[in-house]
Amino acid sequence: MSADALPAGDSLLAPDEPPPYEIVNPNGSHRAILTCDHASNRIPRRLGSLGLEAGDLDRHIAWDIGAEAVARRVSDALDATLITAGYSRLVVDCNRPLSVPEAFAARSEATEIPGNAALGEADRQARAEACFWPYQDAVHRVVSSRARDSVPLLISVHSFTPVYLQRPRPWSIGVHYRLDRRLADLALDHLRSEADLIVADNEPYPVALDEDYTVPVHAETRGMPYVLFEIRQDHIDSDAGAHLWADRLATFLDEVTGHGSLGDFGPKATDVHEPRYREGGPDHAAK
């Protein structure tokens, strides 16, 4: 079912619905800041099911299965702050530039998304204002406050399907980066020391400006060390698996937090342009 355009001043989210983001452990002491862009498969009531069957919302097309469970456990183990997105990537993808079609995907993998088939500009803007910008503004506020006095580490936690469009993916985890590979190189070395893991370098896909938003905008524009982890979903779709991978990542992050290569900001990206976030904060007041 397609969403009707909202009347001016009306909100996509009802007052009793969950918020569009959560900041977990806001006063965490660890220098790592965790983000989970695809933490939830929740759809605002106003959008119904987006025309999908109930089971479709349990699939990867709606969220990153297991990623939030891993991120929360890492946050708890390290005493690190975590920001999670509150609604499904099918409402608006919180890790895509709003200008790309995949931000409001009409098709995900081989599944058509009827509720996204004919979105007008007003519908896109309403979804962005309700879900995308509140989450990204929260990330901006947390990172900005920490970066004033220290060099934080941005850790983005995702998961990927073991099979995509009938193509098997053999990796246990992908370690992802674009311009700054300081933290990624340390992660690759650490994870490859475990003989039972198949560790991918920028697979199944690298960080790219037309496919990623959180890392380029909040880390690369500052020259801040970062890494984006993609964990294979069938490794973390149970409590035991999520615990195991959270322990792995927490151990790694605890070991490298004082590494000399991560002591300073690096060069700032010159090809990332987001006018909302200039020096000093968002152009629009973040609530």
Side-chain angles (χ1 to χ4, degrees), residues 3 6 12-13 17 20 37-38 40-50 52 57 61-63 85-95 98 101-106 108 113 115-116 119-120 123-132:
L6 295 174
L12 178 65
L13 301 180
E17 288 189 278
D37 303 320
H38 303 141
S40 176
N41 61 353
R42 186 181 296 115
I43 306 292
R45 285 199 301 269
R46 181 140 190 180
L47 301 183
S49 65
L50 294 174
L52 295 168
L57 297 179
I61 64 170
W63 60 332
Y87 286 83
S88 171
R89 71 197 326 158
L90 297 179
V91 178
V92 56
D93 193 320
C94 284
N95 191 40
L98 293 174
E102 291 79 6
F104 305 93
S108 184
I113 316 299
N116 292 352
L119 287 180
D123 296 313
R124 293 170 184 261
Q125 183 175 347
R127 294 189 188 191
E129 291 297 330
C131 299
F132 182 93

Side-chain angles (χ1 to χ4, degrees), residues 17 35 39 98 169 173 242 263 282:
E17 288 189 278
T35 62
L98 293 174
R169 291 163 157 179
I173 186 171

Side-chain angles (χ1 to χ4, degrees), residues 263-277:
D264 296 310
F265 290 100
K268 296 180 180 181
T270 60
D271 57 349
V272 180
H273 306 289
E274 176 49 81
R276 187 179 183 93
Y277 304 118

Side-chain angles (χ1 to χ4, degrees), residues 11-33:
S11 173
L12 178 65
L13 301 180
D16 64 333
E17 288 189 278
Y21 67 89
E22 181 182 359
I23 301 178
V24 179
N25 195 11
N27 298 314
S29 62
H30 200 277
R31 67 185 291 203
I33 299 170

